[in-house]
Structures are given as structure tokens and as C-alpha cells.
Amino acid sequence: MAAVGQRRPHSPDHLHNSQALVKRQRTDDQQLIIGSVTKDGIRRTSNLLAPIMQLAGHGGEVLSMRFSPDGQVAASASADRTLLLWRTYDECENFMMLRGHKNAVLEVHWFTNGETLLSCSADKSVRCWDTEAGVQVKRLSEHTAIVNSCCPLQRGPPLFVSGGDDCRVKVWDMRSKRSIQTLEAPAPVCSVAFAAAGDQVYSAGLDNNITAWELRKGAAGLTLQGHADTVTGLRVSPEGNHLLSNSMDNTLRVWDVRPYAPANRCEKVLYGHQHSFEQGLLRCDWSPDGSRVSAGSADRVVYIWDVGTREVQYALPGHKGSVNEVVFHPKEPIVGSCSNDRTLFLGELAYA
């Protein structure tokens, strides 16, 4: 099924008028734009059609988005109960709509095969989708309340984890019909993440703490304390040694989750973004090389930090509503953002 959406180059005030692109010779059916210069003297760093692209097509707030592992497609999840797939390059074509959820879709992820999507929803379900065929391949309904978060294992077997308002963290295997493990959290769960080694999952929520669950023991191991309010987003770093968390206390924290790390595992606290009375599930992300982090923010700004200096590297305007998620492209210096204003932006960054 195809969905018709609007996509256009976006020209915020700081970029002035529309961009004039100087494109290089076509190679492998993709025009190479990297290195070209706009009429305003901006040197291009990515193959996006323009330095900033705005994508519109959802009928409700866009709550989550992720790039596919090869970077060719972006998936978005919305309060309109749908998932949309967009081409990253050229005109950012909105080429597929996935329907099935009965309520807002709260988070979306790609499995490492680049063909299967994972989503969770306020309809109490977790679902898997075949993006080649455009069909749902799995509907899992063991949660008894809103499922706020889901996350696949990045390397190894097709495992994934989900967490919800029923205070349950569930571990699933794509090859099984039912969950393979259920963990009882101390409070409603707002965010989950799978450890890189596959031996732990992390959960966080209304108790302000992050719990590392030992899957072999089926019990809580490490508890990371430091946030002063609800934790809304978790993301494991690319090398697997650090965990990033976004909280309603208006901080972003970097935790050392190596087995024999020092007792004080909170390495860095980053400031700049804002949560608000909307109490949205604002997520966070790492750049592929681990040098930058990003976070959703209720003040309508896209925030990106330099991990080494802890300084805000970019504070990008453009959205007209709360920014719910900011994610990094896996191959190029591109970030994607999604917002309560029902749109997404794809924009290129300067090289790190």
C-alpha cells in the first residue's frame, strides 16, 4: 500500500532561500551531491537532495523514527496509528503505509536484516512487519497495558524486548509465538534497550532509576541511580559499553555499563533540552561513531551534543511542536527528527 505525502526541500531562516545544487556525475544511479556548493556558499556533506528536507504525510503527532541499517529508508511511527516508510534520498518519497495498530504507535525500530520493523503501541501490542511485502508478520498481545517501548538485539539471534505501563519487561524471540521471559519492574516502564552482548536488557520509567536485568538469572542486577524524574529514553552506545538516558529532569546522562566499571557509573551529564507538561516520551540516540548524542526536546529544537566536550554542538530550529526523537543516519552525517507538528526533518551536519 502506498501513502501520498508531501516532501520538499526546507529552507529555514538561517539557510535563506531555496538551495541551488551543483550535482556531480551520476554513479550507480544515485547523483552524488557531497562536496557540491549551494548558491549561498554552503558545502554539502551528504547526498540528501537539499541540506534540509521536510517530510509531511502523517495525520497525527510523529512519535518515533529510525533509519534502516543501510540508510536508504526512514520509518516513522505516529499517533495516527500508522507506520510510514520514506526514501532517504531524492524526493524522500513516502512509498509505504503499514496499518494494523489500533492506537498510537509509540516506538519503531529496524531489525538488523533491514527488512523487518518492530513497533509497539498504546493498543497494548508489539508487532513485527515485513517491509518488502508491506504486511504484518507478528502481533504479540501479552502486555496488559500501554506498551511504551521496544528494542531489538543489534547482533545475533532475532530477539527483542518490550516494556509497558503494566510494569512488565518482556523478552521475545521472533521464532517463538510467546514471550520467552517476563521480568517484573518496580514501576511502569517508559523505555527499554537490549545490551549489545544480548545477556542483559535495560528498563527505566516512573521510578527514575535504570535497571539492568540479568537474563540468565531472570532477575535485576545493576541499578543506575541519579535521575530525579521519569526516564523516557534509553540507547546503548555503538560499542556497547555505555548507556544513554533521557529524563524529565531535563538531563541526558551517559552511564558506563561495563561489567567491572567503577561504582559511580554516571560519567557525564548533558544539559540543554527541555521536557514539559506534555510529558512526552522523548527519546535519545548515539551517532554511529559514538562521538555525538541527540535527544528529543519539548522546546521544538533538535539538540545534538559533542560527547567529549559535553557541549551542545547543534540546536536546530524548524519544528513547530515538541521534538520527540532525533536519530543519526548510519552512513552519512544526516540526522532525522520527528515532532508533534506531524512532520519529520532530514538534515545534514558538518563533518565531526
Side-chain angles (χ1 to χ4, degrees):
M1 292 181 291
V4 178
Q6 300 173 350
R7 55 270 174 194
R8 60 185 183 274
H10 182 75
S11 300
D13 294 340
H14 67 278
L15 288 181
H16 305 295
N17 300 319
S18 60
Q19 311 298 326
L21 304 181
V22 180
K23 298 180 181 177
R24 294 182 177 179
Q25 183 177 1
R26 182 181 293 271
T27 304
D28 295 331
D29 294 326
Q30 181 172 325
Q31 291 180 326
L32 296 180
I33 303 173
I34 294 176
S36 63
V37 180
T38 71
K39 69 179 183 180
D40 297 313
I42 300 172
R43 182 166 296 277
R44 300 296 310 280
T45 61
S46 80
N47 283 308
L48 288 177
L49 183 63
I52 300 177
M53 298 291 290
Q54 185 178 31
L55 286 57
H58 276 295
E61 296 93 337
V62 190
L63 304 175
S64 181
M65 71 168 294
R66 300 298 292 179
F67 288 107
S68 60
D70 64 5
Q72 295 295 315
V73 177
S76 57
S78 172
D80 67 10
R81 303 180 293 180
T82 70
L83 297 154
L84 294 183
L85 300 186
W86 313 78
R87 306 283 184 201
T88 302
Y89 301 107
D90 298 321
E91 296 288 342
C92 295
E93 176 194 3
N94 172 202
F95 67 94
M96 185 176 291
M97 176 185 290
L98 300 171
R99 294 182 180 271
H101 280 297
K102 306 301 182 185
N103 207 329
V105 189
L106 301 180
E107 191 163 20
V108 63
H109 284 274
W110 291 87
F111 283 92
T112 52
N113 63 12
E115 298 176 356
T116 309
L117 275 180
L118 173 67
S119 64
C120 63
S121 168
D123 67 7
K124 308 177 186 178
S125 76
V126 182
R127 304 187 189 222
C128 299
W129 312 82
D130 182 334
T131 62
E132 298 293 314
V135 297
Q136 176 183 294
V137 294
K138 220 169 187 56
R139 179 172 65 87
L140 305 163
S141 302
E142 292 183 21
H143 281 285
T144 58
I146 293 170
V147 187
N148 292 307
S149 184
C150 57
C151 182
L153 177 62
Q154 290 303 306
R155 291 179 287 273
L159 304 179
F160 54 99
V161 60
S162 62
D165 282 355
D166 57 3
C167 303
R168 290 192 174 102
V169 176
K170 286 183 171 287
V171 181
W172 311 82
D173 188 323
M174 274 286 287
R175 300 161 295 188
S176 301
K177 292 184 178 180
R178 299 189 61 81
S179 60
I180 58 175
Q181 201 161 7
T182 299
L183 306 162
E184 298 291 339
V189 176
C190 295
S191 188
V192 294
F194 226 119
D199 58 344
Q200 291 181 321
V201 295
Y202 304 103
S203 71
L206 267 61
D207 64 348
N208 308 346
N209 297 328
I210 302 167
T211 302
W213 301 89
E214 303 286 347
L215 296 184
R216 288 175 185 168
K217 297 179 181 178
L222 187 67
T223 299
L224 302 174
Q225 297 178 317
H227 280 299
D229 208 337
T230 300
V231 180
T232 61
L234 294 174
R235 190 77 75 228
V236 175
S237 63
E239 91 288 347
N241 292 331
H242 293 86
L243 182 69
L244 183 68
S245 59
N246 188 358
S247 168
M248 289 184 184
D249 65 8
N250 297 325
T251 68
L252 198 66
R253 290 176 180 255
V254 177
W255 307 85
D256 188 336
V257 291
R258 291 174 296 181
Y260 303 106
N264 182 14
R265 290 176 175 267
C266 182
E267 287 190 348
K268 297 179 181 182
V269 182
L270 310 176
Y271 300 92
H273 66 305
Q274 298 292 318
H275 287 249
S276 75
F277 66 91
E278 293 177 291
Q279 296 188 325
L281 296 177
L282 308 184
R283 312 299 190 180
C284 52
D285 196 27
W286 293 85
S287 65
D289 65 359
S291 67
R292 293 166 167 166
V293 293
S294 64
S297 183
D299 63 359
R300 308 178 181 183
V301 176
V302 170
Y303 286 96
I304 298 168
W305 291 261
D306 180 292
V307 175
T309 66
R310 311 183 194 188
E311 298 295 325
V312 173
Q313 196 171 35
Y314 294 90
L316 306 172
H319 279 296
K320 298 178 180 179
S322 175
V323 178
N324 295 312
E325 186 159 31
V326 180
V327 297
F328 291 91
H329 190 277
K331 308 288 186 183
E332 294 196 72
I334 297 170
V335 291
S337 60
C338 60
S339 169
N340 282 354
D341 65 11
R342 305 185 178 189
T343 71
L344 300 87
F345 279 111
L346 305 184
E348 66 183 35
L349 304 174
Y351 290 114

